[in-house]
Amino acid sequence: MTVNVNGSLLAKEAWAVVWVPGSFEIGVVAERLGKSGKYQAILCIGAVIRGDTSHYDAVANSAASGVLSAGLKSGVPCIFGVLTCDDMDQALNRAGGKAGNKGAEAALTAVPIVGLVRGRHKPPILKLPSSLPPSSSYISNSQQPEYPTSIFPPQNQGVAAIVFGDGGSESRLYPLIKRRSEGAIPIAANYRLVDAVVSNCINSNITKIYALTQFNSTSLNSHISRAYSGAGLGKEGFVQVIAAYQSPEHQGWFQGTADAVRRCLWVMEESGVLEFLVLPGHHLYRMDYQKLIEAHRNSKANITIAALSAMRNEDPGFGFLKVNSENRVLEFREESKKEPIINSISVESSTKSIDVAYDTFPSMGIYVINRDIMTKLLREYFPKAIDLRSEVIPGAISKGMKVQAYLFDGYWEDMRSIEAFYRANMESTKKENMGYNFYDRDFPIHTLPRYLPPTLVTDAVITDSIIGDGCILNKCKIKGTVVGLRTRIRDGALIEDSVIMGSDIYETKDVRKSDAERKGMVVPIGIGEDSHIKKAIVDKNARIGKNVMIINKGNVQEGNREANGYIISGGIVVVLRSAVIPDGSIL
């Protein structure tokens, strides 16, 4: 076979065709091909169609600069033949229609460089995976390897993280989520829960991060946008908030995790990645996602699910996996059954039935899913599925897809309840490294820099506690407590085994006087003189008066006193955000 280029015959052995997922990736692949030393010129062709958003400009500009950079870095001429068109008709006309063939015109510029190439060794014909099959008018080869190792992108370029900002309707963190989503809940004085997950991504060199938010998302959206604008993400990295939206095709809000991802695929597919890393945004743990991704790729799995290596007393709420000796997931179920861990069952696969022994492990709700598999599952196989955990993952297993388990043996707290949140905070105050280590220099946790003044301590006695920035602590005693930003604790107060979230503002005397006159709010923000708080969570901007006792003297386990500014959950008193607890109150 030969190709006629401006009257010259170019032998088939002299050229190769390489497919990429999209125009955004052309530059990266062109650079690698140029550096291989096998080619005298690289012809980069494709098309970018203008849509309804400004994303078109970013992709077109990135494609052009990527091709230019590829030529400069590889030393091999890279010819830019990417069409930038307003609509599909214009693209077709310029790709061989009424307006000629712009691809052929671009190829002509390579002829003086290449000349007549005869007798050279046949280069390998490579193909990168794409969610869309190539058109029949394109040159391809059915024997092309699906995942070529020579130009397979490293983990940080080939993966995008999808972080969900809240845990949905099953959360038991009320009232902490009354005015915020789970990911925005403050923890360990200076941080938000979502910081642990995003920091895992940054520390694992995963720098393309989409945060899908909906429930009470104002605080979370603001925090993510301000905290991660370029923080350690490199030139092409980003943390992009995709808030729930309505469109002509979708009039309702996100109905669940599967529905949210499906409706945002049109944005995320354009990042040019090969896999999606799906992450709940309100869990507290430290994981190197590179190891998870490496295990996923080495096993050639369609989906990999992170699972706890040991059973827990508390159901984590993400279902249970039956896993064989090769870490293949045989079955997913919502609840753990009282049965032996090892058993013999018959499993239907796409090819045959086999008897296997299995172990049972709790799922962490963390998934690595190949991009093309995600697209097929959500758009073709289960177009009406709402939830990834209960519908899509079991559906993938039932269709015989290769679903693997990745066993994780580190600390993990899923924050499904007030008790779990309280426990994680208390563990952070211990000298022994029992829980999450907020002081790991090799794997730091990132958050929003606030530039607050240092904490002012006046004759206070503080033991086994964490104190956030900008606090004012007078003659008080603090033991085993997390004290959040801008907290003010006045003379004689005693705080034990509690979580004080702090304040969003410094309340001046003039402001307090104005509030008192307008609302009758005579109690200032903070904790008043001679008050005693034990085993409690005090949410932000709470006003605790003088001589207040928050000690749950009656050891009540559950109680709803929301009208009075607090509830009791698992024996823990939770004072609501901006609540007012008058002088002399006993809770």
Side-chain angles (χ1 to χ4, degrees), residues 356-424:
V356 296
Y358 68 83
D359 293 321
T360 300
F361 299 101
S363 169
M364 298 173 67
I366 297 172
Y367 316 113
V368 180
I369 306 178
N370 294 345
R371 188 186 71 169
D372 56 338
I373 295 298
M374 179 80 86
T375 301
K376 288 180 181 179
L377 287 171
L378 296 181
R379 290 178 176 167
E380 298 178 23
Y381 297 153
F382 309 106
K384 295 184 179 180
I386 292 175
D387 187 59
L388 286 172
R389 179 196 69 199
S390 61
E391 297 176 82
V392 177
I393 298 299
I397 297 173
S398 69
K399 287 189 173 295
M401 292 185 177
K402 188 172 185 181
V403 180
Q404 291 289 114
Y406 174 82
L407 300 184
F408 177 72
D409 60 359
Y411 171 88
W412 180 74
E413 184 60 73
D414 61 346
M415 301 297 180
R416 294 191 70 235
S417 65
I418 292 294
E419 296 92 319
F421 174 77
Y422 175 82
R423 179 172 61 245

Side-chain angles (χ1 to χ4, degrees), residues 531 545-549 581-586:
S531 290
K546 302 175 182 178
N547 297 299
V548 171
M549 304 285 286
I581 308 299
D583 296 349
S585 299
I586 300 177

Side-chain angles (χ1 to χ4, degrees), residues 19 133-140:
W19 289 99
S135 168
S136 59
S137 62
Y138 288 25
I139 303 170
S140 61

Side-chain angles (χ1 to χ4, degrees), residues 229-523:
S229 55
L233 299 172
K235 293 182 179 179
E236 296 183 359
F238 56 82
V239 179
Q240 180 177 346
V241 174
I242 306 179
Y245 66 92
Q246 298 189 44
S247 66
E249 296 83 12
H250 303 283
Q251 295 297 318
W253 302 112
F254 296 156
Q255 300 303 303
T257 53
D259 182 59
V261 173
R262 181 188 301 110
R263 289 171 57 179
C264 297
L265 272 176
W266 67 275
V267 177
M268 297 183 291
E269 284 178 330
E270 294 175 349
S271 63
V273 298
L274 302 181
E275 297 104 351
F276 291 120
L277 174 63
V278 181
L279 304 167
H282 58 285
H283 294 176
L284 188 64
Y285 64 102
R286 182 173 277 105
M287 179 187 292
D288 185 351
Y289 297 137
Q290 296 284 11
K291 295 180 180 178
L292 168 62
I293 296 163
E294 182 180 5
H296 172 79
R297 291 179 174 175
N298 289 341
S299 66
K300 295 181 173 59
N302 300 126
I303 301 173
T304 297
I305 305 174
L308 296 175
S309 61
M311 297 291 287
R312 297 177 9 149
N313 293 329
E314 181 183 0
D315 179 359
F318 290 97
F320 293 84
L321 310 176
K322 287 185 176 180
V323 180
N324 68 12
S325 59
E326 297 179 348
N327 285 338
R328 178 79 177 262
V329 178
L330 309 175
E331 181 184 340
F332 171 89
R333 60 172 181 254
E334 291 282 351
E335 298 179 356
S336 178
K337 298 178 181 178
K338 300 298 183 181
E339 59 181 18
I341 292 180
I342 303 297
N343 200 351
S344 179
I345 61 174
S346 179
V347 180
E348 293 290 335
S349 70
S350 59
T351 56
K352 61 182 179 179
S353 296
I354 56 175
D355 289 334
V356 296
Y358 68 83
D359 293 321
T360 300
F361 299 101
S363 169
M364 298 173 67
I366 297 172
Y367 316 113
V368 180
I369 306 178
N370 294 345
R371 188 186 71 169
D372 56 338
I373 295 298
M374 179 80 86
T375 301
K376 288 180 181 179
L377 287 171
L378 296 181
R379 290 178 176 167
E380 298 178 23
Y381 297 153
F382 309 106
K384 295 184 179 180
I386 292 175
D387 187 59
L388 286 172
R389 179 196 69 199
S390 61
E391 297 176 82
V392 177
I393 298 299
I397 297 173
S398 69
K399 287 189 173 295
M401 292 185 177
K402 188 172 185 181
V403 180
Q404 291 289 114
Y406 174 82
L407 300 184
F408 177 72
D409 60 359
Y411 171 88
W412 180 74
E413 184 60 73
D414 61 346
M415 301 297 180
R416 294 191 70 235
S417 65
I418 292 294
E419 296 92 319
F421 174 77
Y422 175 82
R423 179 172 61 245
N425 275 278
M426 292 299 98
E427 287 174 346
S428 71
T429 67
K430 306 301 181 183
K431 294 179 181 179
E432 301 83 6
N433 188 16
M434 297 173 55
Y436 186 92
N437 181 10
F438 287 90
Y439 308 97
D440 190 336
R441 294 183 178 181
D442 296 327
F443 217 83
I445 181 169
H446 302 263
T447 191
L448 175 67
R450 297 175 179 85
Y451 309 108
L452 290 171
T455 288
L456 177 63
V457 180
T458 305
D459 293 336
V461 179
I462 304 173
T463 56
D464 298 330
S465 299
I466 293 177
I467 310 297
D469 297 333
C471 298
I472 301 175
L473 311 177
N474 293 339
K475 297 178 181 180
C476 56
K477 293 183 179 180
I478 302 172
K479 179 182 179 182
T481 293
V482 174
V483 180
L485 303 168
R486 303 184 190 88
T487 296
R488 182 156 192 170
I489 302 179
R490 294 171 175 84
D491 293 357
L494 172 61
I495 317 296
E496 300 177 275
D497 304 325
S498 296
V499 180
I500 313 297
M501 292 190 179
S503 172
D504 290 321
I505 61 171
Y506 286 115
E507 187 181 38
T508 65
K509 292 182 179 180
D510 292 338
V511 170
R512 185 162 66 249
K513 181 179 179 181
S514 175
D515 286 342
E517 293 174 351
R518 183 164 47 91
K519 303 178 183 179
M521 197 175 294
V522 295
V523 179

